[in-house]
Amino acid sequence: MDDKKNITGVVHSGLCHGCGTCVSICKFNAIEMKETPLGFLCAELQEDKCVACGLCFDVCPGRGLNPALISEHINPFKGQPTEAFLVKATDKELLRGAQSGGAVTAILCHLLESHAVDSVVTCRMSKQNPLRPEVFKAVTSEEVWEARTSKYCPVPLMASLNLPNDAFDSRLAMVGLGCHVHGLRNVQARFDCARKESPFVVGLMCAGTLSYRMIDYLLSCAGVTSDEVASFYYRKKGEHGWPGDVAICTKDGREIFVSKKRRLESKPLFESLRCRLCFDQTNLFADVVVGDPWGLRGDKEGLSVVLVRTSRGSRVLRECAEANSVVLEPVDVDRVFQGQTIDSRHCREWAAMSAIWQTKGRELPEYGINSRWVVEPNEHTLRNCTRRLNKLLQLSEIHDPCEVEQCIRKHVQYLKFRRYISVFATARRYSLSIIKHLINRIRKAVKP
Ligand SMILES: Cc1cc2nc3c(=O)[nH]c(=O)nc-3n(C[C@H](O)[C@H](O)[C@H](O)COP(=O)(O)OP(=O)(O)OC[C@H]3O[C@@H](n4cnc5c(N)ncnc54)[C@H](O)[C@@H]3O)c2cc1C
């Protein structure tokens, strides 16, 4: 077998998602997920256990999609959702601890309680290490509640499945990002295209994951060390409600918030290079897709936006409404895509990032996307994406943890400097307007 045709080739090409599909498909336990100094997950192959069967390579969503999955007639950036809703869970306690409107948790609980499925693959922050997610199979609604909120970091969800069997288990549900669902669909296509049985898939919208190093950075913003942390939330509704700030609960009972602004401004340093090459922000292959109601209606309690992609998804969502576990408000599908900036930003950025990646002689993931769906990026997007991609590439070449540390420190200094400048500029604007106001008053007063 060609040397490159195992998971190591994918890792070397910079295309590993860290999703865990290869770990699960390998029956020789030859693959493990390892945390890199930059704080991402990457597959690592133990050559002595590898029998060179090539399965890990065949099903890897990092290197692309099985050609049977993509139709040239369907816009891959949007798919063909049949309906869209704003959704709110009716249980106030569930809603308070959920990321948005609690749609994911309400749907998964309904599936378990109505005995439509036996278990749900999901993730929670680990009890042993509250700064890392752990994947688990929830079998009760209480366990599904424990998994609420978004983990914007790498989650090796697929590694916990028993593949290929679980890929055809209709008594299973899972909640995952686009890359996780690509892994599932690749396995199904590789093993038996014709089989209709599949886990129920709740997909999350996803504009990309962020490195574990961002957690360290957010702790430093809060002045807390990792040993002090009892629990960590990327976004907690708290007293300001949705969308929520970063919240860190300490073992001695303090709750410290770091503003959403601080989280967002630090994102460029921690974003995943691989995610920049993923076209699938709206989770094309899920039964239902859940996201925040960006561009639609704000609501401090939280609302989820749900795209329905399959008849099974539609039936389950309606059952949830009939059982009074969620309230549904129909919305226009196109407005959901507008809110997620699919045409105005995502498509262009994806095209720009892919083009720049290719000009560097790098291998692109094989998505088989027909050029008719691709929106040409303008000059501004190309310039911006070149800067971002170069920065990420530069970072990805650092393997020494001390150098990574230095790089983060430099960026943090830059952020501080930017903040001072903006405070100074605001103060200057403010004082200029006060001076102008005073001059006007004096003019009026001395006017004959
Ligand atoms: C990395 C990431 C990027 C996102 N990007 C966008 C975006 O661009 N636009 C947008 O509208 N929404 C995005 N979301 C989705 C959004 O943050 C909420 O998760 C979504 O609105 C669901 O809210 P909810 O209240 O219904 O979920 P909840 O009821 O709080 O349940 C959330 C469920 O998702 C599971 N989950 C959380 N993180 C992960 C993960 N990393 N992998 C697998 N399962 C996970 C939890 O375990 C839980 O079961 C993103 C989420 C993630 C994790």
Side-chain angles (χ1 to χ4, degrees):
M1 194 184 62
D2 180 341
D3 224 23
K4 267 188 84 189
K5 297 226 159 147
N6 63 35
I7 207 64
T8 309
V10 181
V11 173
H12 286 162
S13 313
L15 296 181
C16 178
H17 274 301
C19 67
T21 309
C22 56
V23 174
S24 172
I25 207 72
C26 178
K27 287 296 150 261
F28 303 93
N29 298 324
I31 306 172
E32 276 179 50
M33 279 294 148
K34 285 274 164 71
E35 193 172 321
T36 67
L38 265 187
F40 291 106
L41 292 178
C42 250
E44 193 175 276
L45 181 73
Q46 288 168 269
E47 304 276 352
D48 56 329
K49 291 189 182 171
C50 177
V51 298
C53 65
L55 251 187
C56 56
F57 185 81
D58 286 352
V59 298
C60 171
R63 59 171 279 265
L65 283 168
N66 186 301
L69 295 169
I70 284 275
S71 157
E72 64 172 297
H73 305 295
I74 296 173
N75 181 340
F77 298 98
K78 299 177 179 172
Q80 288 181 320
T82 49
E83 298 159 288
F85 297 95
L86 284 171
V87 178
K88 189 184 272 200
T90 50
D91 187 316
K92 293 288 175 204
E93 200 46 44
L94 185 166
L95 184 60
R96 198 164 319 135
Q99 195 58 84
S100 314
V104 175
T105 303
I107 293 169
L108 297 177
C109 288
H110 171 79
L111 287 169
L112 279 175
E113 284 161 15
S114 62
H115 304 289
V117 301
D118 301 321
S119 58
V120 169
V121 180
T122 182
C123 63
R124 62 187 165 208
M125 292 316 261
S126 152
K127 287 193 179 119
Q128 276 75 38
N129 178 2
L131 302 176
R132 292 290 180 273
E134 69 179 3
V135 182
F136 72 110
K137 275 188 183 171
V139 292
T140 64
S141 293
E142 290 72 29
E143 286 176 323
V144 177
W145 277 43
E146 278 178 29
R148 285 171 299 171
T149 75
S150 297
K151 291 85 185 171
Y152 293 107
C153 53
V155 173
L157 194 93
M158 302 304 287
S160 69
L161 294 185
N162 173 24
L163 292 177
N165 294 352
D166 280 354
F168 299 99
D169 185 354
S170 306
R171 301 291 306 165
L172 190 69
M174 65 176 253
V175 46
L177 307 177
C179 52
H180 300 136
V181 184
H182 293 181
L184 176 82
R185 300 301 183 215
N186 272 354
V187 171
Q188 291 170 336
R190 167 68 177 71
F191 281 85
D192 195 346
C193 269
R195 249 177 103 172
K196 292 281 174 262
E197 296 95 336
S198 165
F200 185 89
V201 179
V202 180
L204 296 176
M205 304 253 185
C206 178
T209 55
L210 299 160
S211 110
Y212 293 131
R213 304 310 306 268
M214 188 175 183
I215 299 179
D216 306 338
Y217 167 71
L218 293 169
L219 294 191
S220 74
C221 293
V224 171
T225 63
S226 53
D227 296 340
E228 291 178 278
V229 179
S231 51
F232 173 89
Y233 304 88
Y234 283 94
R235 282 169 47 193
K236 191 170 185 193
K237 287 175 185 162
E239 61 185 65
H240 302 300
W242 181 90
D245 295 315
V246 176
I248 300 153
C249 305
T250 60
K251 288 175 186 159
D252 60 7
R254 288 174 293 148
E255 188 171 39
I256 305 163
F257 286 94
V258 177
S259 74
K260 174 180 158 236
K261 191 169 161 242
R262 289 294 276 283
R263 177 172 68 84
L264 294 180
E265 72 180 6
S266 64
K267 262 172 85 171
L269 187 68
F270 301 107
E271 63 183 350
S272 143
L273 185 58
R274 176 62 185 85
C275 293
R276 302 281 55 85
L277 302 171
C278 176
F279 71 98
D280 195 11
Q281 184 169 329
T282 66
N283 222 318
L284 192 60
F285 303 108
D287 287 296
V288 290
V289 187
V290 188
D292 282 291
W294 304 124
L296 293 163
R297 186 154 68 75
D299 178 327
K300 288 294 163 198
E301 274 191 325
L303 276 170
S304 307
V305 69
V306 179
L307 290 174
V308 178
R309 293 207 179 278
T310 63
S311 53
R312 182 161 73 147
S314 172
R315 180 172 45 76
V316 168
L317 197 60
R318 287 209 151 66
E319 280 172 15
C320 289
E322 277 157 25
N324 199 28
S325 46
V326 296
V327 178
L328 306 180
E329 177 187 330
V331 279
D332 182 31
V333 168
D334 287 332
R335 284 191 57 211
V336 176
F337 290 126
Q338 274 163 24
Q340 298 288 331
T341 61
I342 297 300
D343 288 330
S344 60
R345 186 186 56 81
H346 172 67
C347 287
R348 284 169 216 277
E349 284 189 1
W350 176 80
M353 290 289 187
S354 302
I356 304 161
W357 183 255
Q358 212 169 18
T359 58
K360 291 183 184 297
R362 312 286 295 244
E363 205 176 314
L364 278 173
E366 287 168 30
Y367 288 136
I369 293 175
N370 190 303
S371 57
R372 70 197 265 214
W373 304 114
V374 179
V375 183
E376 276 294 308
N378 57 23
E379 272 301 308
H380 171 75
T381 311
L382 275 170
R383 226 176 309 120
N384 192 9
C385 288
T386 306
R387 207 176 322 118
R388 270 169 74 191
L389 201 77
N390 282 344
K391 175 103 201 151
L392 294 176
L393 270 171
Q394 190 193 342
L395 277 168
S396 71
E397 267 142 35
I398 307 179
H399 299 295
D400 174 6
C402 298
E403 261 187 74
V404 174
E405 206 61 59
Q406 245 175 16
C407 212
I408 293 176
R409 219 174 299 134
K410 254 190 176 157
H411 187 77
V412 170
Q413 272 165 1
Y414 161 73
L415 288 178
K416 266 192 196 153
F417 172 71
R418 231 178 50 178
R419 230 173 289 132
Y420 286 136
I421 294 287
S422 84
V423 169
F424 176 71
T426 319
R428 190 167 163 269
R429 255 201 319 273
Y430 193 58
S431 46
L432 279 180
S433 70
I434 290 177
I435 292 168
K436 268 190 201 155
H437 176 72
L438 286 176
I439 291 174
N440 277 341
R441 297 264 313 255
I442 294 167
R443 260 200 205 130
K444 271 187 200 154
V446 296
K447 220 175 185 178

